[in-house]
Amino acid sequence: APTYNVLGLLYLRLGDSKKAEDNFKRALGLNNNDSSTLNNYGSFLCQENRIDEAEKTFLKSAANPLYETPEIAITNAGLCLYNNNKEAEAENYFRQALELNPQMSQALIKMCEISFNKPNYLSARAYLQRYQQISRHTAKSLWLGIQIEQALGDQDAVSSYVLLLKNTFPDSTEATLLNESRIQ
């Protein structure tokens, strides 16, 4: 089963959806409770826009009592739904993942985005600060920081994020957005 799981991932990377799915199904045919395979198959289903199937597969993966990191599958369910404009459902999964592991960086940054979009800027700031404690900044997290602090009126924090973004990710899309904005 693990070999077919890896073959599924390999064919997925190579862009051969048919062979990827065949291998994931073979792996699950040998062990239908393997959380790693279920999680990978869920990611495949999400990429194929089979959202309902993906969600069920992620949840089956997370429900396995022997799975050591169910927060990964739950976060992946949230990411799949978030990327398919189901923000409210995604938020529930991100919260569940953070209950299991408060340091789940992908769930933290998505909760930051969701809070910013509501707009609940203080909550967004809190999620970003938690994210910063466990992960390196990305261009996206710095851009979020700039927008959050701009909304909250903290110009010193905005300036710090701007400097970090310009110096660390000068060629990023976010740096281009910064240059096109009126934020200094």
Side-chain angles (χ1 to χ4, degrees), residues 27-91:
L28 292 170
L30 294 169
N31 181 357
N32 70 351
N33 287 319
D34 181 61
S35 291
S36 177
T37 303
L38 287 164
N39 189 43
N40 292 334
Y41 186 48
S43 294
F44 165 80
L45 292 168
C46 188
Q47 286 180 12
E48 295 292 308
N49 290 317
R50 293 159 57 185
I51 309 309
D52 292 338
E53 288 177 79
E55 182 179 8
K56 288 175 187 167
T57 304
F58 286 128
L59 295 180
K60 183 176 180 183
S61 174
N64 181 347
L66 300 177
Y67 192 26
E68 294 179 6
T69 53
E71 65 273 15
I72 292 173
I74 293 170
T75 298
N76 286 339
L79 290 169
C80 183
L81 293 173
Y82 184 85
N83 292 332
N84 285 282
N85 302 314
K86 296 185 176 189
E87 195 170 287
E89 296 96 326
E91 181 178 358

Side-chain angles (χ1 to χ4, degrees), residues 62-157:
N64 181 347
L66 300 177
Y67 192 26
E68 294 179 6
T69 53
E71 65 273 15
I72 292 173
I74 293 170
T75 298
N76 286 339
L79 290 169
C80 183
L81 293 173
Y82 184 85
N83 292 332
N84 285 282
N85 302 314
K86 296 185 176 189
E87 195 170 287
E89 296 96 326
E91 181 178 358
N92 290 331
Y93 288 129
F94 296 138
R95 288 186 186 282
Q96 285 177 36
L98 290 170
E99 285 175 18
L100 293 170
N101 180 354
Q103 296 188 349
M104 193 69 196
S105 61
Q106 285 183 305
L108 285 169
I109 202 67
K110 287 301 180 190
M111 285 301 298
C112 177
E113 287 179 41
I114 289 168
S115 296
F116 179 79
N117 292 336
K118 281 195 173 182
N120 186 343
Y121 303 127
L122 288 175
S123 179
R125 176 193 272 169
Y127 281 115
L128 185 59
Q129 288 170 342
R130 286 175 59 191
Y131 173 84
Q132 288 173 269
Q133 291 173 354
I134 58 168
S135 291
R136 290 178 172 255
H137 268 300
T138 63
K140 187 173 188 168
S141 69
L142 291 169
W143 180 243
L144 259 173
I146 291 167
Q147 293 175 297
I148 291 165
E149 297 305 335
Q150 184 80 18
L152 290 171
D154 187 338
Q155 194 54 47
D156 289 339

Side-chain angles (χ1 to χ4, degrees), residues 1-8 21-34 37-38:
T3 302
Y4 287 116
N5 180 26
V6 171
L7 281 171
E21 184 164 19
D22 289 346
N23 280 283
F24 286 132
K25 284 184 174 179
R26 284 186 83 177
L28 292 170
L30 294 169
N31 181 357
N32 70 351
N33 287 319
D34 181 61
T37 303
L38 287 164

